[in-house]
């Protein structure tokens, strides 16, 4: 008889515990938001990782250019190979080939020149951060370009002759 009373009291407690149901409802409302945010952070991390890789390769290329005195074709080929090893090989966008070195110093600058500044410019297409917007009802903006990484570094020539 005592066990039947305990069972009835347990059923009353479970039926009157509204906190569990409200926790379930809040969880069901928040989970899609958290899932969406966790999926949207992936393109952002891809963008920043690629930016870090491009920046690292550009810094190495600037060091090579400082020792030679300018951004030589050999440095450009070496930089292209490094980018290709990182999964960012040569590509074209709107008829332009990338990586692009427009704006880099292409003539020899000696160490004892009045202005021994060397400019290294690297431009490469960036991944599209807004590719997932159509999944939530945003505009596809298919006609827009996603943008470019443009690394512009300055160094001092170390070339003697």
């Amino acid at each position: 008889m005592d066990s039947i009373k305990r069972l009835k009291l347990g059923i009353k407690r479970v039926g009157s515990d509204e906190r569990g149901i409200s926790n379930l409802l809040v969880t069901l409302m928040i989970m899609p938001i958290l899932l969406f945010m966790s999926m949207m952070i992936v393109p952002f991390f891809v963008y920043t990782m690629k930016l870090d890789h491009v920046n690292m390769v550009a810094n190495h290329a600037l060091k090579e250019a400082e020792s030679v005195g300018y951004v030589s074709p050999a440095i450009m080929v070496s930089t292209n190979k490094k980018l290709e090893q990182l999964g960012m090989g040569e590509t074209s966008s709107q008829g332009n080939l990338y990586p692009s070195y427009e704006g880099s110093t292409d003539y020899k600058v000696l160490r004892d020149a009045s202005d021994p500044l060397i400019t290294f410019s690297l431009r490469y297409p960036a991944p599209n951060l807004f590719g997932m917007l159509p999944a939530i009802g945003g505009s596809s903006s298919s006609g827009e370009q996603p943008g470019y990484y443009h690394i512009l570094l300055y160094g001092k020539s170390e070339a003697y002759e």
Side-chain angles (χ1 to χ4, degrees):
M1 188 75 164
D2 196 31
S3 61
I4 294 175
K5 283 184 182 180
R6 276 193 245 153
L7 182 63
K8 285 182 181 179
L9 285 175
I11 291 173
K12 282 184 181 179
R13 283 188 205 148
V14 170
S16 65
D17 187 13
E18 294 176 6
R19 202 169 25 158
I21 294 172
S22 64
N23 285 344
L24 176 66
L25 291 175
V26 169
T27 302
L28 289 175
M29 286 187 279
I30 291 180
M31 282 305 290
I33 296 169
L34 292 176
L35 181 65
F36 173 75
M37 289 176 64
S38 67
M39 291 299 179
M40 282 305 292
I41 202 137
V42 171
F44 176 74
F45 280 127
V46 168
Y47 179 86
T48 56
M49 272 185 12
K50 284 192 173 195
L51 176 62
D52 186 46
H53 291 314
V54 170
N55 201 12
M56 178 188 62
V57 169
N59 280 315
H60 285 274
L62 177 65
K63 292 297 176 190
E64 292 176 17
E66 285 176 343
S67 65
V68 175
Y70 69 107
V71 181
S72 68
I75 292 173
M76 291 179 194
V77 169
S78 169
T79 304
N80 288 349
K81 286 182 182 177
K82 289 176 187 173
L83 287 171
E84 190 171 338
Q85 289 174 349
L86 293 171
M88 295 184 283
E90 290 185 6
T91 185
S92 66
S93 176
Q94 294 183 342
N96 297 326
L97 290 175
Y98 295 99
S100 172
Y101 301 98
E102 276 185 44
S104 297
T105 304
D106 56 355
Y107 55 90
K108 191 158 191 164
V109 178
L110 298 178
R111 180 180 185 167
D112 57 353
S114 62
D115 184 19
L117 183 70
I118 293 177
T119 304
F120 183 81
S121 174
L122 176 64
R123 187 173 166 127
Y124 194 82
N128 191 359
L129 286 177
F130 302 108
M132 294 181 75
L133 283 181
I136 60 167
S139 66
S140 64
S141 64
S142 60
E144 294 179 15
Q145 290 296 320
Y148 299 91
Y149 298 122
H150 188 184
I151 309 293
L152 187 60
L153 302 173
Y154 300 98
K156 183 179 177 185
S157 176
E158 298 295 327
Y160 287 107
E161 288 183 28

